[in-house]
Amino acid sequence: VFYIDPKKGLSGLRKVLRLVETPRTIEGVDIAHLGGNQTVASLVQFIDGLPFKPGYRRYRIRDVHGVDDFRSIHEVVARRFQRLQDESEVFPDILLVDGGKGQLGAAMAGFDDLKIEAPTVIALAKRNEELFVPGHSEPLRLSRHAYALRLLQYVRDESHRFAQHYHHILRRKSTLGEN
């Protein structure tokens, strides 16, 4: 466990991502499945660098069969942002996708297909903690001690935890025959 300074993390993100304003809202998306069965997605929301549990959402992936994280990310991004747009809700300042270049491309395709202007969308790959940004062929590599990276890791890890938790609930229900 390492210390996260949300304020420094957010101002670091503003600098690294060259944003006009310091971001306040970050949403993180992750996919969970077991061999392609019962694929689910989680969406976590952070406000001012801290988890905002009432903003958490869970999704059962409907339109993807088998293991396809890219199509699953596309589906959840499209569903989430179509709903936000339909209800005239405010988009998050940053959408963080768990994964690399492929996951980032899948998320961006979700916006393109809906003809919705995307917020700042980034992907964080766990292997080397590389940050993928649209329009950049090479990932950004932040210092392992950077507050911005620590904040993104916190969001990513929380979305992963939440997705796994939901997946375990569904798996337990199907195994035990619960409703």
Side-chain angles (χ1 to χ4, degrees):
V1 176
F2 44 76
Y3 176 69
I4 295 168
D5 184 326
K7 199 168 185 178
K8 287 182 180 175
L10 292 169
S11 60
L13 285 174
R14 177 183 178 181
K15 189 175 170 185
V16 168
L17 300 173
R18 297 187 177 109
L19 302 174
V20 177
E21 294 180 16
T22 302
R24 291 201 60 211
T25 309
I26 302 172
E27 290 186 352
V29 173
D30 191 22
I31 305 297
H33 53 73
L34 182 67
N37 293 322
Q38 295 181 335
T39 302
V40 298
S42 69
L43 182 130
V44 297
Q45 190 175 69
F46 280 55
I47 298 177
D48 295 330
L50 298 170
F52 181 69
K53 304 268 177 146
Y56 284 27
R57 300 287 178 267
R58 305 185 296 201
Y59 297 86
R60 284 189 193 208
I61 300 302
R62 302 179 193 142
D63 301 332
V64 179
H65 304 289
V67 178
D68 190 340
D69 284 0
F70 299 147
R71 290 295 308 159
S72 298
I73 286 170
H74 180 284
E75 178 181 327
V76 74
V77 166
R79 285 170 58 189
R80 170 68 174 162
F81 285 88
Q82 183 69 64
R83 181 175 205 166
L84 289 178
Q85 181 165 296
D86 291 348
E87 296 177 0
S88 300
E89 294 284 332
V90 178
F91 284 14
D93 298 312
I94 296 174
L95 175 64
L96 175 66
V97 178
D98 183 14
K101 194 182 266 190
Q103 286 83 354
L104 176 65
M108 295 306 293
F111 290 104
D112 291 344
D113 290 352
L114 295 174
K115 299 185 179 17
I116 292 178
E117 187 174 336
T120 298
V121 182
I122 55 178
L124 183 60
K126 193 160 191 110
R127 179 189 258 172
N128 295 316
E129 300 296 0
E130 295 172 326
L131 190 60
F132 291 87
V133 181
H136 293 256
S137 57
E138 293 298 313
L140 301 176
R141 290 179 181 88
L142 306 180
S143 161
R144 291 220 180 261
H145 306 291
Y147 289 109
L149 178 61
R150 288 181 177 189
L151 178 56
L152 292 176
Q153 289 170 324
Y154 186 20
V155 175
R156 188 219 27 228
D157 293 347
E158 179 66 359
S159 68
H160 182 73
R161 182 200 65 76
F162 194 56
Q164 291 298 323
H165 175 71
Y166 183 41
H167 187 259
H168 289 300
I169 289 170
L170 293 180
R171 204 169 62 206
R172 189 171 58 239
K173 282 182 179 180
S174 72
T175 303
L176 300 176
E178 297 174 7
N179 289 329

